[in-house]
Amino acid sequence: MKKYITGIAIIMSLCIFTGCGAQAPAVDENDANMTQVSEGETGTEIETTSGDENMTFVSENGSAVQENEDKVFFFRKNSIYAVDKASNRTQLFWNKEDYEPSYYMFDGCGILIGEKIYFLEDMEYSGNGTYYTAGVLSVINTDGSGYEQAVSTLDETDALNGVPYGFNSLYFSDHILYAYNANTVRCYRILEDGTLGEEIPREETAFRYTQDLSEDYSLLCMQGDLGNYLSPVESLERYGYLIMKKGTSYVKMDVENGSEEWINFGDPAFMTDDKAFFVGSMSDAWNLQSFDLNTKEIAVIGEIGWPRTVYDNGILYYMSSEDNNKTTVGYLSILDGTGGALFELSDAAGYVNGFSPSYFGLMVSGDYLYYMDMKDYDAYLFRAPLDNLSQGELLEEAIYSTNIKEVGTLAQEHHNIYKEDDPEVLLGTANFDWIVVDDSYAGAETINTYLYESEVASKWAMFEDDVRMDEEFIAEENREYSLQYSYDSSVSNVLYFDGTYVSFIQESYEYYGGAHGLPIWDGYVFNLETGERLLLPDILLSYTEEELKDIVTKYFSEKINRSPSDFWENSEDTVHDMVSLEMTDFALTEDGICFYMHPYCISPYAGGFQKVTIPYTEFKKLSFSPKLSQSSADT
């Protein structure tokens, strides 16, 4: 497919949109209460502090993807993945100590400056007795060495009422690196060798034009909930004026005379030199629309299938989910509105719980379109060349491994329950995913029978009884609120596998009306050769119940004491009372035995499941020799 080139002075590395799809609110463009930008400094020429004069002037946004000659880097808030261009191998380039793999992989922000990678890392901070997560500026060399937090602390200027903001956007221009969010900015000179130099006062950069504005003003968010904001520096460089959000709409400000005028459009997916492009909903369909920054004209470019997009050189790429089992990647030209489907992703019937291609979205870097898909229950990064878009090639090494393929396959059942005397009224739905162990294991038949009976047949029967018991209530509510009961059960992933023993959690969610349903975890450990389900007395040898209570309570106490406001009073006593050899919820992992408490047991519903993992070395005697993760083995 031909790539269209538009005259964009400064190409954005990446723009991913997940937005609301709503039309921009109606605004009175003659509002007499519109604030004027205060005069004074507004007519002053922007002063920037330059470093080595031989450094090339570069203006670039930080984004979730960056590349150099050798690698393409993908950023998450607690890890960086890299694809080696020569070998197509995907590797975990950097990760925090508390890193956990997940499908929400590429929600971070980084920027390449020479041989340095500056990126935003989530860190925990305490304030007023509560822990908060905030983005700080970190740096690492492109060869993987030299990691450090470039700005290691957040001072009081980065806090409002004791809550640190942190950073979520980066911008680099004329030897200055800006780390900022909608309210806070730090500006640093980049030295000749790419290292971080002295901090530059905000007043010496274009951010000074925003510091005296009222709370009605904030930076324009370019990537929906991913939080990438339009830097005032970029705005002045590209457009010659500031574009900011005011209330629920947008204004552009002339910094020379202090005037401003409404420019009314939806949250932008991307912007060119004269237009803002946003996704709106019309007639139950998603449409790409453009807003001319000068004439204020709005035009519909064309229909797209899903507001999960990335823009590159005149082409918008998007994902379309036509039904539950099909996701299509398509394109739309912003020049002439032509476009259509490009290729399909894997059948969603083969996906595991929690995975969706839209979690990753689409990304463009260099000459390739990147996306994520699943193969044999593992998530992989794929890429397709922009000049010949067809089904992309799978890159080596899984981004996220479920290990399900090591044990067997997944089976699925779906049930609908309708009112007995009115089959048009849907009362409830039940969905089941469960592991079917491969028959190469001697205990497969025993395990498969047990899992089906306990996780499908019996729970489906109980759910159906509950629905029939409340049939008239549900049917009555349905007429006004479309209330339905639901039960969903699926496998998290295989947490432990050594060829003989396997452990996983069967996750279910019951909804019987109200504000939310109830999540339930059932932890399983099976011997694949005998088919036996193992409980704690089968694993922990020579342990009394009181000894187990003490060690599990000790680990939960440490967790509770780190953030006591997150837990109920006397939660340590509750843990001690609930722990028992026969009934305690647990699962095996490569790092140790994971013990968990359901919502409401020791903390509010919003706190989710509370869990601790106790290393195998803490236990006196085990019935097997556990396979350890590399980190546990090193310890």
Side-chain angles (χ1 to χ4, degrees):
M1 182 183 63
K2 181 179 179 181
K3 292 178 60 180
Y4 295 93
I5 308 296
T6 56
I8 303 177
I10 303 169
I11 299 176
M12 294 190 298
S13 308
L14 174 69
C15 290
I16 301 176
F17 177 68
T18 60
C20 60
Q23 292 284 2
V27 178
D28 182 1
E29 297 183 7
N30 298 314
D31 182 5
N33 295 319
M34 286 187 64
T35 305
Q36 295 283 310
V37 179
S38 60
E39 297 188 17
E41 287 194 25
T42 53
T44 307
E45 181 180 355
I46 301 173
E47 299 173 3
T48 57
T49 305
S50 298
D52 177 22
E53 294 302 324
N54 294 320
M55 288 184 67
T56 304
F57 181 99
V58 176
S59 293
E60 188 173 7
N61 279 301
S63 66
V65 58
Q66 298 274 293
E67 74 171 290
N68 59 18
E69 293 182 357
D70 301 318
K71 292 184 175 69
V72 183
F73 300 92
F74 297 90
F75 296 90
R76 192 187 174 203
K77 292 178 180 178
N78 64 358
S79 62
I80 302 173
Y81 277 80
V83 174
D84 184 273
K85 292 183 177 180
S87 66
N88 287 348
R89 181 172 177 264
T90 305
Q91 68 176 107
L92 184 59
F93 181 79
W94 168 87
N95 63 277
K96 291 175 59 175
E97 291 183 359
D98 59 353
Y99 160 80
E100 291 186 7
S102 81
Y103 301 120
Y104 296 92
M105 293 306 300
F106 305 100
D107 55 359
C109 182
I111 195 166
L112 284 173
I113 303 178
E115 300 301 315
K116 301 283 185 181
I117 304 174
Y118 289 92
F119 62 99
L120 299 179
E121 171 189 354
D122 270 1
M123 298 295 295
E124 283 192 347
Y125 290 86
S126 60
N128 298 330
T130 304
Y131 281 79
Y132 300 95
T133 299
V136 301
L137 181 63
S138 295
V139 64
I140 192 171
N141 295 325
T142 54
D143 63 3
S145 65
Y147 160 77
E148 64 177 343
Q149 290 183 21
V151 182
S152 58
T153 60
L154 300 176
D155 63 27
E156 60 185 13
T157 63
D158 297 319
L160 178 65
N161 298 324
V163 182
Y165 280 121
F167 309 119
N168 50 27
S169 294
L170 295 174
Y171 188 68
F172 178 60
S173 180
D174 202 13
H175 317 287
I176 300 176
L177 178 64
Y178 303 87
Y180 62 99
N181 60 26
N183 304 281
T184 302
V185 63
R186 295 282 188 86
C187 317
Y188 297 93
R189 179 188 301 178
I190 298 297
L191 305 181
E192 181 180 357
D193 61 358
T195 58
L196 202 68
E198 65 184 38
E199 184 171 357
I200 299 170
R202 172 177 178 169
E203 290 74 17
E204 295 182 15
T205 75
F207 274 91
R208 70 169 176 265
Y209 295 118
T210 68
Q211 62 187 8
D212 295 327
L213 295 174
S214 70
E215 294 181 357
D216 294 337
Y217 294 86
S218 60
L219 299 186
L220 182 153
C221 185
M222 291 295 298
Q223 295 184 1
D225 61 0
L226 293 182
N228 193 328
Y229 293 92
L230 176 65
S231 165
V233 185
E234 179 185 6
S235 184
L236 285 175
E237 287 178 347
R238 292 187 62 179
Y239 311 113
Y241 45 77
L242 290 181
I243 299 178
M244 296 193 70
K245 191 166 187 176
K246 183 180 181 182
T248 58
S249 193
Y250 303 92
V251 294
K252 66 177 183 180
M253 304 177 177
D254 189 324
V255 298
E256 292 186 358
N257 59 31
S259 65
E260 67 181 38
E261 60 178 312
W262 292 109
I263 47 174
N264 204 20
F265 49 83
D267 291 341
F270 61 95
M271 298 175 69
T272 62
D273 284 348
D274 57 356
K275 289 184 174 66
F277 293 82
F278 61 97
V279 179
S281 178
M282 297 178 62
S283 302
D284 297 323
W286 297 107
N287 288 273
L288 180 68
Q289 303 176 43
S290 67
F291 179 91
D292 191 297
L293 297 173
N294 298 311
T295 67
K296 301 182 181 180
E297 293 180 355
I298 294 179
V300 176
I301 306 299
E303 183 176 328
I304 63 174
W306 188 256
R308 191 59 152 158
T309 64
V310 61
Y311 171 76
D312 180 69
N313 288 335
I315 300 293
L316 184 78
Y317 302 97
Y318 61 86
M319 285 187 170
S320 173
S321 298
E322 298 179 5
D323 54 48
N324 292 331
N325 292 328
K326 183 185 296 184
T327 299
T328 301
V329 175
Y331 78 100
L332 180 69
S333 167
I334 69 169
L335 297 183
D336 56 18
T338 58
L342 292 169
F343 54 86
E344 293 181 3
L345 303 189
S346 299
D347 191 316
Y351 293 162
V352 299
N353 178 40
F355 176 79
S356 169
S358 64
Y359 290 171
F360 173 82
L362 299 164
M363 293 188 179
V364 169
S365 183
D367 297 327
Y368 292 94
L369 176 72
Y370 290 85
Y371 60 96
M372 197 159 71
D373 202 1
M374 186 154 282
K375 182 177 183 293
D376 296 330
Y377 309 115
D378 287 349
Y380 288 87
L381 193 62
F382 288 73
R383 71 179 183 189
L386 293 174
D387 59 358
N388 184 24
L389 278 167
S390 58
Q391 196 74 36
E393 63 173 325
L394 177 149
L395 300 181
E396 294 184 7
E397 305 297 331
I399 293 288
Y400 184 82
S401 296
T402 67
N403 292 319
I404 290 174
K405 65 183 178 183
E406 302 293 338
V407 181
T409 60
L410 289 181
Q412 298 176 326
E413 273 191 20
H414 173 78
H415 299 274
N416 288 332
I417 305 177
Y418 295 92
K419 196 170 186 295
E420 289 185 338
D421 59 0
D422 187 354
E424 297 297 319
V425 178
L426 180 65
L427 302 176
T429 61
N431 296 286
F432 301 92
D433 287 8
W434 71 99
I435 286 180
V436 175
V437 176
D438 189 271
D439 59 12
S440 61
Y441 296 102
E445 183 177 355
T446 301
I447 296 172
N448 292 337
T449 300
Y450 182 95
L451 283 175
Y452 184 82
E453 290 298 326
S454 62
E455 287 298 334
V456 184
S458 64
K459 292 185 177 178
W460 159 238
M462 287 188 292
F463 176 71
E464 186 176 28
D465 287 345
D466 291 338
V467 171
R468 291 302 178 197
M469 185 183 303
D470 294 343
E471 179 172 327
E472 293 305 318
F473 166 76
I474 304 172
E476 181 68 26
E477 290 293 307
N478 242 333
R479 297 169 190 168
E480 186 173 356
Y481 301 110
S482 298
L483 175 70
Q484 299 167 4
Y485 286 0
S486 63
Y487 184 92
D488 295 279
S489 179
S490 56
V491 180
S492 57
N493 53 41
V494 172
L495 302 174
Y496 180 87
F497 171 77
D498 63 9
T500 300
Y501 296 97
V502 61
S503 184
F504 56 88
I505 291 175
Q506 191 77 23
E507 301 179 353
S508 59
Y509 185 83
E510 302 175 344
Y511 179 75
Y512 294 98
H516 56 73
L518 182 65
I520 299 173
W521 285 3
D522 291 318
Y524 287 108
V525 181
F526 288 105
N527 184 318
L528 292 168
E529 298 305 317
T530 66
E532 177 189 10
R533 181 185 180 185
L534 280 68
L535 301 178
L536 279 173
D538 305 312
I539 297 171
L540 301 178
L541 303 182
S542 304
Y543 250 83
T544 67
E545 188 150 300
E546 195 60 34
E547 287 175 324
L548 178 65
K549 286 178 178 288
D550 288 343
I551 190 171
V552 175
T553 302
K554 170 191 170 185
Y555 272 80
F556 268 105
S557 295
E558 293 173 355
K559 181 183 181 73
I560 292 166
N561 290 332
R562 286 196 297 269
S563 185
S565 61
D566 292 342
F567 296 86
W568 305 127
E569 291 185 13
N570 304 317
S571 54
E572 295 175 41
D573 294 335
T574 303
V575 172
H576 190 273
D577 292 341
M578 292 182 66
V579 170
S580 73
L581 283 167
E582 298 294 335
M583 299 297 293
T584 298
D585 292 315
F586 79 99
L588 302 184
T589 75
E590 291 187 353
D591 295 317
I593 302 179
C594 175
F595 296 87
Y596 57 89
M597 297 283 171
H598 282 72
Y600 293 126
C601 288
I602 60 174
S603 63
Y605 180 87
F609 288 83
Q610 298 293 347
K611 57 186 179 179
V612 296
T613 299
I614 302 178
Y616 292 113
T617 53
E618 288 279 2
F619 298 101
K620 294 181 297 186
K621 189 176 181 181
L622 300 171
S623 62
F624 70 109
S625 298
K627 169 190 172 183
L628 302 178
S629 67
Q630 187 60 50
S631 59
S632 298
D634 292 341
T635 302

